[in-house]
């Protein structure tokens, strides 16, 4: 989910850029030299997720999974998502440099929210874990699309109707992301629980 | 799956110092992105077409990239004329908004211009040299390392996922719109994550063994030539000129 270049107004671009810079600074502080490779690898996996297309009716959608990434990485999701989007911009020309800040914010802010709101539920296991997994996928895409709609609406009043369509069109994606994140979380907890269920180091991210 | 189409040719732009290219690209695309007038957009587009010509890309590949980029602008063309409001314009039996069409046209112009400039000035450098150039431009070291490392492993992880998917398909998995498909994709991706996690630990240990201390040294040191300084300085000046025009107009 990203906004193309050339659409947003200067104040939105600058605001998004500044917030992303702040989030990235916090995220980088959570990453020490020892863990930098883990974050890079997950950032690469996040990039790959965007290339995976799952069928829906006659068409297909690509995965986003920013909620899952956020639950694993916490604040480090900011630099990880920034990196993945920069790679997408260089390799596929999706988005560009100017809109990179806003696009990172769209995906990384919900990811960090998932970390704070839903991760405590994951540790409790059972039904809580399933619900938290589903919400992690559903809410992260929902918040992303609301932020996207908001940045369009702040750019120009004429975009308000388009912004509403953006949120509406994303509802099927929210549901599918919800199920996929739920199943992925239950798989990870069974196979390698330390990825999701580690003890926090107290500053917003284990990594 | 992840080709680097654009960095292999041997033009002036491909050989130029990536730092100069990044800075001038940021200036021009910044001015175009912030502008609200057609004249700035058209100036930018002329510059973009000149740079694309200079980069000697295969036209077919560039056109295909532009089609992908215009997916979102096509969505705007479908919605804005009907929803924007303002002055009405009757075309046959539909009534559309004149301002909506103007807005969609401006966005399309700016989006294509920015993508072409980005393509000519940034995608002409290999990703690895971009990572080092960003470091020299003052981007935090950890962020540059993340960029270089994740680029290094993107292809490995993509292949790992594809291997799992192929194995599932050989066992009779047919993707359809049902919960079984979504569960299967979730498990395949989660397995890819688990493998990436473990790979990260192995790579980290190997790097520590080789004395990794958080810095990454490049053996490839490039200095901009006089021609490059003049050329990219000129582009940056042009961007400043466009910004002044925009502020006046």
């Amino acid at each position: 989910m990203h906004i193309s270049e050339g659409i947003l107004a200067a104040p939105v671009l600058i605001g998004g850029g500044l917030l992303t810079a702040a989030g990235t600074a916090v995220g980088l502080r959570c990453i020490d030299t020892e863990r930098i490779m883990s974050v890079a690898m997950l950032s690469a996996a996040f990039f790959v997720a965007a290339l995976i297309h799952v069928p829906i009716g006659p068409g297909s959608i690509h995965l986003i999974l920013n909620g899952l990434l956020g639950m694993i990485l916490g604040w480090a999701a900011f630099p990880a998502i920034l990196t993945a989007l920069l790679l997408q911009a260089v390799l596929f020309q999706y988005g560009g440099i100017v809109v990179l800040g806003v696009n990172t914010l769209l995906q990384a802010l919900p990811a960090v929210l998932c970390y704070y709101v839903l991760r405590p539920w994951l540790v409790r296991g059972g039904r809580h874990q399933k619900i938290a997994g589903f919400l992690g996928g559903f809410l992260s895409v929902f918040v992303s699309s609301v932020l996207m709609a908001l940045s369009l609406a702040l750019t120009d009043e004429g975009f308000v109707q388009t912004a509403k369509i953006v949120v509406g069109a994303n509802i099927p994606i929210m549901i599918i992301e919800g199920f996929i994140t739920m199943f992925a979380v239950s798989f990870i907890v069974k196979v390698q629980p330390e990825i999701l269920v580690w003890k926090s180091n107290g500053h917003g991210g284990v990594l | 799956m992840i080709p680097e189409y654009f960095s292999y040719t041997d033009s002036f732009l491909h050989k130029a110092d990536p730092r100069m290219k990044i800075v001038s690209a940021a200036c021009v695309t910044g001015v175009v992105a912030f502008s609200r007038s057609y004249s700035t957009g058209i100036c930018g587009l002329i510059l973009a077409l000149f740079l694309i010509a200079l980069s000697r890309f295969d036209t077919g590949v560039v056109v295909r990239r532009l089609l992908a980029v215009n997916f979102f602008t096509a969505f705007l063309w479908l919605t804005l004329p009907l929803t924007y409001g303002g002055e009405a314009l009757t075309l046959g039996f539909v009534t559309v908004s004149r301002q909506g069409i103007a807005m969609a046209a401006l966005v399309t112009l700016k989006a294509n211009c920015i993508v072409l400039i980005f393509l000519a000035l940034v995608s002409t450098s290999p990703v690895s040299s971009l990572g080092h150039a960003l470091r020299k431009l003052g981007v935090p070291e950890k962020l540059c390392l993340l960029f270089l490392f994740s680029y290094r492993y993107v292809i490995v992880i993509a292949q790992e996922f594809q291997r799992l998917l192929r194995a599932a398909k050989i066992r009779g998995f047919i993707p359809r719109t049902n919960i079984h498909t979504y569960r299967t994709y979730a498990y395949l991706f989660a397995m890819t994550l688990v493998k990436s996690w473990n790979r990260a630990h192995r790579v980290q240990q190997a790097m520590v063994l080789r004395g990794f201390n958080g810095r990454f040294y490049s053996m490839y040191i490039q200095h901009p030539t006089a021609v490059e300084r003049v050329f990219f300085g000129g582009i940056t000046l042009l961007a400043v000129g466009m910004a002044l025009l925009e502020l006046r107009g």
Side-chain angles (χ1 to χ4, degrees), chain A residues 4-5 7 28 31 34-35 37 40-42 55 57 83 89-93 97 156 161 176 180 187 192, chain B residues 4 65 72 80 83-84 107 110-111 118-119 123 142 150 177 182 186 189-190 193-194 196 198 201 203-204:
Chain A
S4 310
E5 286 283 10
I7 292 167
L28 285 178
I31 308 171
E34 229 169 88
R35 289 295 177 190
M37 195 40 111
M41 208 67 88
L42 289 176
T83 302
V90 174
L91 296 174
F92 304 129
Q93 292 78 46
I97 330 180
D156 192 304
Q161 213 54 38
I176 292 176
I180 290 190
F187 183 93
Q192 196 149 5
Chain B
E4 237 185 292
R65 277 306 145 101
F72 194 84
L80 280 183
T83 61
Y84 198 86
V107 164
K110 282 163 64 177
F118 194 78
L119 206 55
S123 297
K142 275 190 223 166
S150 72
T177 307
Y182 300 144
F189 185 73
L193 266 188
V194 167
S196 318
N198 293 326
H201 279 270
V203 174
Q204 161 68 16

Side-chain angles (χ1 to χ4, degrees), chain A residues 35-138:
Chain A
R35 289 295 177 190
I36 198 158
M37 195 40 111
S38 305
V39 181
M41 208 67 88
L42 289 176
S43 170
F46 177 76
F47 178 101
V48 170
L51 299 175
I52 301 172
H53 284 80
V54 296
I56 171 167
S60 70
I61 55 161
H62 72 81
L63 299 179
I64 306 172
L65 297 180
N66 53 336
L68 182 61
L69 190 77
M71 287 192 276
I72 298 174
L73 287 179
W75 279 99
F78 258 99
I81 288 175
L82 178 67
T83 302
L85 293 184
L86 186 58
L87 271 179
Q88 282 189 351
V90 174
L91 296 174
F92 304 129
Q93 292 78 46
Y94 291 162
I97 330 180
V98 193
V99 79
L100 188 64
V102 174
N103 278 336
T104 306
L105 188 71
L106 292 187
Q107 301 196 14
L109 196 63
V112 175
L113 283 179
C114 283
Y115 172 80
Y116 280 110
V117 178
L118 297 173
R119 234 195 64 82
W121 288 27
L122 284 184
V123 188
R124 290 163 67 175
R127 191 185 295 159
H128 289 104
Q129 183 197 306
K130 280 211 173 85
I131 295 171
F134 183 83
L135 288 178
F138 185 90

Side-chain angles (χ1 to χ4, degrees), chain A residues 17-35:
Chain A
L18 288 178
L19 287 173
T20 291
T24 306
V26 177
L28 285 178
R29 197 172 285 182
C30 299
I31 308 171
D32 56 15
T33 316
E34 229 169 88
R35 289 295 177 190

